[in-house]
Amino acid sequence: MVKGPEADDCWLWTGAIADDGYGRFWTAGADGRQKIIRPQRYAYTAIVGRDLTPDVLILHRCDVPLCVHADLDSERSHLRPGDTSENMQDRARRGRHPRPSAALRFRDLPRAERARRSRDLRDAVLERGWDAAAIHGVLSGVNAEHPTLF
Ligand SMILES: [Zn+2]
């Protein structure tokens, strides 16, 4: 994981990334079988100390799927618990109010594109550490290596 220098920067997961653009890691479950863990969920549980039932989703305020920046202070935390309907409402609300920027938010990207950007982001921070310009480039989809149509 790579943490940004500012207190409110993202903490970016640098491990495996699944096809949905979110991180994953594997651990042995109580029954000895492999258990798949989502890092943002793990981070939230570990830091906030609250167990999550399976129906609770961990949503990203920062809209960066790799971010695992949980904080006891919900104002500072980039992760917050929510449920599926809330997630949908979020999307619907944003849909009705077009953003001033042409760049799509991460969460609204097609799955494959989101996964690609997540992997680009991970590779960028692994290569250069916290490079704000490079990170911004990947997040907005305007980095030179991968030009986009918008
Ligand atoms: Zn974040």
Side-chain angles (χ1 to χ4, degrees):
M1 180 181 68
V2 173
K3 291 185 183 185
E6 304 295 334
D8 58 352
D9 281 339
C10 289
W11 300 349
L12 300 174
W13 170 251
T14 51
I17 295 170
D19 289 340
D20 59 4
Y22 290 84
R24 293 286 192 284
F25 67 93
W26 292 265
T27 181
D31 57 1
R33 287 203 289 196
Q34 273 205 333
K35 220 174 127 190
I36 298 172
I37 315 271
R38 291 166 179 266
Q40 70 273 21
R41 211 175 163 83
Y42 180 85
Y44 185 86
T45 306
I47 290 171
V48 178
R50 185 182 140 191
D51 277 333
L52 301 170
T53 52
D55 59 311
V56 177
L57 301 177
I58 289 299
L59 307 176
H60 284 91
R61 291 177 191 281
C62 59
D63 198 40
V64 178
L66 296 186
C67 184
V68 295
H69 190 165
D71 196 292
L72 274 174
D73 179 349
S74 62
E75 292 295 311
R76 302 185 69 127
S77 184
H78 290 207
L79 305 177
R80 66 178 180 88
D83 61 25
T84 320
S85 66
E86 221 178 320
N87 204 9
M88 299 294 182
Q89 284 164 13
D90 259 21
R91 278 174 193 261
R93 203 162 36 231
R94 278 204 307 273
R96 285 196 299 272
H97 300 284
R99 293 172 298 277
S101 157
L104 283 167
R105 282 172 62 98
F106 236 109
R107 224 190 321 177
D108 300 328
L109 294 171
R111 196 179 153 95
E113 173 66 11
R114 194 171 60 205
R116 193 182 63 71
R117 278 196 210 178
S118 281
R119 288 174 180 138
D120 283 353
L121 180 60
R122 174 195 59 192
D123 295 348
V125 296
L126 282 176
E127 228 173 83
R128 313 177 206 196
W130 189 273
D131 176 333
I135 290 168
H136 177 78
V138 176
L139 289 179
S140 55
V142 292
N143 56 332
E145 292 165 60
H146 297 283
T148 59
L149 295 175
F150 49 84

